[in-house]
Amino acid sequence: MSIDVAVVGIPEELTTSQMSPFVSIRVGDTRRQSPLKLNESFKFPAPSQCDNFRLDLFARIGTVRVALDGEKTKSVVVPNSLGWPAGTDKYEMQLEINQENAYSNDAEQMMKVKEANKQRRHRSALHAKMYLDEHSVQQTLQTMVEKLLKERPNMPYAFMKEFITEHAEREHKASIIVDNDAKKPAGDDKPQAEEKKEE
């Protein structure tokens, strides 16, 4: 969305001088502001739910340049070139200046968050790999795909189902053996021949 502003009825010398007023246009949450020129184009994101926009014309009361020389506190006097309100010829202002990057803390915090997210993703990937390696999942799937491409059955999904079922049965039998071994009392693994000899 764009709004083109054509100045009508304002002297050209006013739009080109240092005392040029400011035009401000706000569409939704987006504001564009610029010194008033004869022809100016303001661009905005397409409004989603907005049936109007706001236009403000601001007068420049005065201008003064302030040196950035390392001083943290400055007193400046801004002349009232507009002459309004009557009887006010200047404005005295006290400035507190911090030349450090105002966004450095935010940037550091963002870097910490990014690093924490990176480490969390790394840990998640490591745990996932450990799980897959522990159960030989990747190796089994690779073997299945290689066998599938070699045999090229007419019903590949049925082939894969049978392959996975066969490995699931082997895994189940292996887990039963491990459980039984874990349940055996200590010293109950002597060979039978040795027991007969002792009798």
Side-chain angles (χ1 to χ4, degrees), residues 124-147 163-164 167 171:
S124 297
L126 185 61
H127 292 160
K129 186 178 185 304
M130 290 174 61
Y131 173 80
L132 295 176
D133 291 344
E134 179 184 357
H135 298 278
S136 302
V137 175
Q138 288 182 309
Q139 181 180 354
T140 301
L141 292 177
Q142 182 178 354
T143 303
M144 181 185 69
V145 173
E146 291 175 352
K147 191 173 181 181
F163 185 92
I164 294 295
H167 279 73
E171 182 183 49

Side-chain angles (χ1 to χ4, degrees), residues 13-199:
E13 58 271 17
L14 183 59
T15 62
T16 57
S17 70
Q18 289 188 348
M19 300 312 300
S20 168
F22 280 79
V23 61
S24 171
I25 299 178
R26 179 169 180 168
V27 179
D29 295 330
T30 304
R31 179 189 292 274
R32 299 284 186 265
Q33 183 172 301
S34 173
L36 184 63
K37 300 178 183 178
L38 290 178
N39 293 284
E40 182 77 5
S41 181
F42 297 85
K43 301 186 183 302
F44 299 87
S48 55
Q49 296 178 348
C50 187
D51 57 2
N52 63 79
F53 64 89
R54 175 174 173 173
L55 186 147
D56 294 303
L57 190 61
F58 299 105
R60 190 198 305 256
I61 293 178
T63 301
V64 64
R65 288 190 175 275
V66 181
L68 291 172
D69 53 10
E71 292 187 14
K72 295 185 177 181
T73 303
K74 283 184 177 291
S75 297
V76 299
V77 177
V78 182
N80 183 3
S81 304
L82 191 62
W84 182 91
T88 304
D89 59 351
K90 63 183 179 181
Y91 292 91
E92 297 182 4
M93 306 180 74
Q94 190 81 8
L95 307 179
E96 296 292 335
I97 303 171
N98 183 359
Q99 291 185 235
E100 295 181 1
N101 187 357
Y103 300 99
S104 59
N105 291 336
D106 292 342
E108 291 176 4
Q109 185 63 27
M110 289 181 63
M111 289 297 295
K112 290 180 180 179
V113 171
K114 288 183 178 179
E115 182 63 25
N117 290 338
K118 181 179 178 181
Q119 293 180 2
R120 186 171 65 252
R121 289 194 298 269
H122 177 72
R123 288 194 299 269
S124 297
L126 185 61
H127 292 160
K129 186 178 185 304
M130 290 174 61
Y131 173 80
L132 295 176
D133 291 344
E134 179 184 357
H135 298 278
S136 302
V137 175
Q138 288 182 309
Q139 181 180 354
T140 301
L141 292 177
Q142 182 178 354
T143 303
M144 181 185 69
V145 173
E146 291 175 352
K147 191 173 181 181
L148 175 70
L149 294 175
K150 181 179 180 180
E151 299 186 14
R152 297 181 182 274
N154 293 329
M155 301 177 67
Y157 291 104
F159 175 87
M160 289 188 290
K161 179 181 178 181
E162 182 180 353
F163 185 92
I164 294 295
T165 301
E166 179 182 343
H167 279 73
E169 291 175 353
R170 291 179 186 174
E171 182 183 49
H172 180 64
K173 291 178 181 178
S175 65
I176 293 176
I177 294 174
V178 171
D179 290 342
N180 291 337
D181 290 343
K183 293 177 182 178
K184 283 183 179 181
D188 193 32
D189 53 353
K190 294 181 179 180
Q192 292 183 359
E194 185 177 338
E195 291 179 359
K196 291 181 180 179
K197 184 178 181 181
E198 291 177 356
E199 293 176 357

